[in-house]
Structure formats: structure tokens, C-alpha cells
């Protein structure tokens, strides 16, 4: 997938999340949406950094990065659950 396709997916997810936060009457919807996406990516990073202690590892690929960015912490939890099942 070209880089502009990935950027388009992330930008559209940011706009959708900002619209949802705006509908919830938040003061700064874009900041809140960007923060939730960054927290998802940080949690994916934390899971992989702690893999030596926990023996749990999520392979970093385009799918896992997009899932953690779009889904946030629930997206990373979903990846961990799928890793447990498979």
C-alpha cells in the first residue's frame, strides 16, 4: 500500500473521531481524537517493550499499527486477545 493510502486512512479516522468527539460536546475534538490515537500507538509500543518480561509480543505490521491507531487501547486489547487465541 502506498504511503498516501496509509495517510488517507489515518486522516479519515482522525476526522471521524473528531466528529464523534464534537457530537459529544467536547471542547477540543481534534486534540482529543489525536490523543486517543497516540495513546493506542503508545500502548502497542509498551506491549512490545515489555515482551521480555511478559512473553507477549504483537508483531508490528501495517495491520497492527492501523488497528492500534484507529482502535486505541481497545484495539491493542483486541490484538492481544487474538494473539492469545491463535
Amino acid at each position: 500500500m502506498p504511503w498516501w493510502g496509509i495517510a488517507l486512512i489515518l486522516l479519515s479516522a482522525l476526522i471521524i473521531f473528531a466528529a464523534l468527539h464534537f457530537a459529544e460536546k467536547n471542547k477540543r475534538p481534534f486534540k482529543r481524537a489525536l490523543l486517543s490515537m497516540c495513546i493506542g500507538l503508545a500502548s502497542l509500543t509498551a506491549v512490545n517493550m515489555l515482551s521480555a518480561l511478559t512473553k507477549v509480543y504483537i508483531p508490528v505490521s501495517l495491520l497492527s499499527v492501523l488497528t492500534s491507531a484507529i482502535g486505541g487501547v481497545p484495539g491493542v486489547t483486541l490484538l492481544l486477545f487474538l494473539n492469545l487465541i491463535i
Side-chain angles (χ1 to χ4, degrees), residues 2 23-24 31 39-40 42 50 53 55-56 58 66 74:
E24 293 176 355
K31 181 180 176 183
I39 288 174
L50 294 173
L53 297 173
K55 306 292 189 247
V56 176
I58 299 173
L66 285 177

Side-chain angles (χ1 to χ4, degrees), residues 33-47:
L34 186 63
L35 183 66
S36 67
M37 291 175 81
C38 289
I39 288 174
L41 291 172
S43 62
L44 177 67
T45 304
V47 165

Side-chain angles (χ1 to χ4, degrees), residues 4-78:
W4 55 267
I6 298 167
L8 184 66
I9 291 170
L10 289 175
L11 183 65
S12 61
L14 179 69
I15 291 172
I16 289 170
F17 288 150
L20 290 173
H21 287 298
F22 180 74
E24 293 176 355
K25 307 276 191 236
N26 286 328
K27 290 185 179 181
R28 296 185 176 108
F30 281 104
K31 181 180 176 183
R32 182 90 182 227
L34 186 63
L35 183 66
S36 67
M37 291 175 81
C38 289
I39 288 174
L41 291 172
S43 62
L44 177 67
T45 304
V47 165
N48 285 332
M49 296 280 276
L50 294 173
S51 66
L53 297 173
T54 61
K55 306 292 189 247
V56 176
Y57 176 72
I58 299 173
V60 178
S61 66
L62 179 63
L63 180 66
S64 64
V65 170
L66 285 177
T67 302
S68 63
I70 293 172
V73 176
V76 175
T77 307
L78 174 70

